[in-house]
Amino acid sequence: MKEQNKENNGKGNRNSKFGNFLHAIIALSLIAYLVVALSLSADIRSNRICRGIKIDVRDTTSLKFVKSTEIAKELGSLVAQSKGSRILDINTDSIERVLNGIDKIEKASVVRLSDGYILITVDPMHPVMRVFDGADSYYINQQGKRISADARYHVDVPVVIGHFTDSTFQAIDLMPLVDYISADSLWNSVVSVIKVDSPTDVLLVPIIKGHVINFGSPDRFKDKFSRLRRMYSNVLPVKGWEHYDTISVKWAGQVVATRRHKKVDVPLRIIEEDEDSVDVGTMLADEGVAPGQSLAGRKANSEKPIPAATQPQKTTNN
């Protein structure tokens, strides 16, 4: 019995070794096949002929800011020359750089397809603001990229007027204010134009004619619009919408309204230096803050002093 077991164990070991050897042969054969297949595939890819260029413009709006014919025109002779050329000889990175440099394009990508075509995918510019800067007029997107305004299209976006330089104050710096107004149904329907006199004197021009709003610097949106809402709700319906030429919320904790004495030439000016022009009785302030003053313990947030809250002197007849 022991001799028979030894014989069986010997046969099992031989079978196991043969099986391992067979597995190794199969594995080596597969590796060799893959190497050959990959080499052939790479050779085929390197010699693949381009069948042409496909252009996909992903424009979900009816504006048709960018058309595939315009993209083909920008590429010049490349479209015609690409067909029949080796597909690897076509520099897709260079095409991307050219297209992304076009102001009408938000983003462009270029890839080689397995069927021999080159696919160009284009996302058109998505304007979020129109800027009037002197004689220049242009749109910008969320990243501040510009596109010159063209008479053949018009985009209904917020309008900003002012002089902007790269070194001081740029139109893109107003984007948080524009986003805040756009997200609020009330102010989105009230504010028609944003006019920038300086980085600390941003004017909101409402659709309600007769006055402008000096918003100050483009910050503290919730606080400033809250005070402005109080003015619109409690004062203007009583005094009249054309009673003031300027309503200012630039100073902390209050609203300063400047009375209109005469017709004001456009553009409307900021709060006048003349103290008599300030209607103290309609200046709204937080609790414990006197009209014309800043919040208790805080200085006024302004480049110039707030008009003093003075009362007219009484006169007596001798």
Side-chain angles (χ1 to χ4, degrees), residues 251-285:
W251 294 300
Q254 63 188 314
V255 178
V256 178
T258 307
R259 288 201 305 266
R260 179 189 301 282
H261 293 299
K262 59 182 179 180
K263 184 177 179 180
V264 180
D265 295 332
V266 177
L268 298 176
R269 301 303 300 170
I270 315 301
I271 295 177
E272 299 173 359
E273 296 283 346
D274 183 6
E275 295 178 356
D276 292 336
S277 68
V278 178
D279 189 349
V280 178
T282 60
M283 291 171 62
L284 300 181

Side-chain angles (χ1 to χ4, degrees), residues 91-141:
N91 192 330
T92 55
D93 292 336
S94 177
I95 297 174
E96 279 190 5
R97 284 194 296 271
V98 171
L99 294 178
N100 283 315
I102 299 174
D103 60 359
K104 295 185 181 71
I105 295 177
E106 188 108 355
K107 182 181 179 182
S109 63
V110 183
V111 296
R112 300 183 184 95
L113 301 179
S114 59
D115 60 0
Y117 282 94
I118 289 180
L119 176 62
I120 298 176
T121 304
V122 174
D123 290 324
M125 175 82 156
H126 299 291
V128 295
M129 183 191 306
R130 182 165 185 179
V131 180
F132 291 88
D133 187 346
D136 295 331
S137 176
Y138 54 88
Y139 293 98
I140 64 173
N141 67 357

Side-chain angles (χ1 to χ4, degrees), residues 278-312:
V278 178
D279 189 349
V280 178
T282 60
M283 291 171 62
L284 300 181
D286 290 342
E287 185 177 354
V289 181
Q293 304 299 320
S294 64
L295 288 172
R298 291 169 55 183
K299 294 183 178 179
N301 181 21
S302 172
E303 294 177 330
K304 55 186 179 181
I306 300 175
T310 59
Q311 299 294 338

Side-chain angles (χ1 to χ4, degrees), residues 45-259:
R45 284 199 304 271
S46 64
N47 293 293
R48 182 183 298 159
I49 300 302
C50 178
R51 298 174 61 188
I53 293 179
K54 296 179 180 180
I55 301 175
D56 179 23
V57 179
R58 299 193 292 195
D59 192 348
T60 59
T61 69
S62 59
L63 184 63
K64 302 306 177 187
F65 220 49
V66 178
K67 297 180 180 179
S68 58
T69 53
E70 292 177 305
I71 301 301
K73 186 177 180 180
E74 292 287 348
L75 295 175
S77 60
L78 176 63
V79 176
Q81 293 176 353
S82 62
K83 191 173 183 179
S85 302
R86 276 203 333 152
I87 196 167
L88 288 181
D89 290 338
I90 300 174
N91 192 330
T92 55
D93 292 336
S94 177
I95 297 174
E96 279 190 5
R97 284 194 296 271
V98 171
L99 294 178
N100 283 315
I102 299 174
D103 60 359
K104 295 185 181 71
I105 295 177
E106 188 108 355
K107 182 181 179 182
S109 63
V110 183
V111 296
R112 300 183 184 95
L113 301 179
S114 59
D115 60 0
Y117 282 94
I118 289 180
L119 176 62
I120 298 176
T121 304
V122 174
D123 290 324
M125 175 82 156
H126 299 291
V128 295
M129 183 191 306
R130 182 165 185 179
V131 180
F132 291 88
D133 187 346
D136 295 331
S137 176
Y138 54 88
Y139 293 98
I140 64 173
N141 67 357
Q142 283 283 354
Q143 289 72 43
K145 185 177 181 179
R146 297 185 181 185
I147 172 174
S148 299
D150 193 316
R152 74 178 176 86
Y153 50 71
H154 171 74
V155 186
D156 186 16
V157 292
V159 174
V160 173
I161 302 174
H163 179 60
F164 303 98
T165 61
D166 294 336
S167 59
T168 55
F169 192 70
Q170 303 180 51
I172 192 66
D173 295 330
L174 293 169
M175 193 60 66
L177 175 60
V178 169
D179 289 342
Y180 188 94
I181 293 174
S182 299
D184 190 295
S185 59
L186 171 63
W187 300 119
N188 190 43
S189 63
V190 169
V191 178
S192 63
V193 175
I194 299 175
K195 183 177 181 297
V196 179
D197 280 0
S198 74
T200 57
D201 284 307
V202 176
L203 306 183
L204 307 182
V205 182
I207 58 173
I208 306 167
K209 295 183 179 179
H211 66 272
V212 296
I213 301 160
N214 188 345
F215 198 77
S217 55
D219 56 15
R220 296 181 288 127
F221 308 130
K222 185 176 180 180
D223 170 57
K224 291 180 180 179
F225 278 115
S226 176
R227 284 182 275 136
L228 186 59
R229 186 188 293 264
R230 290 172 56 199
M231 186 72 177
Y232 269 50
S233 300
N234 302 334
V235 178
L236 293 186
V238 177
K239 289 288 186 179
W241 296 96
E242 296 186 2
H243 187 73
Y244 305 102
D245 59 29
T246 305
I247 297 171
S248 177
V249 292
K250 69 181 295 183
W251 294 300
Q254 63 188 314
V255 178
V256 178
T258 307
R259 288 201 305 266

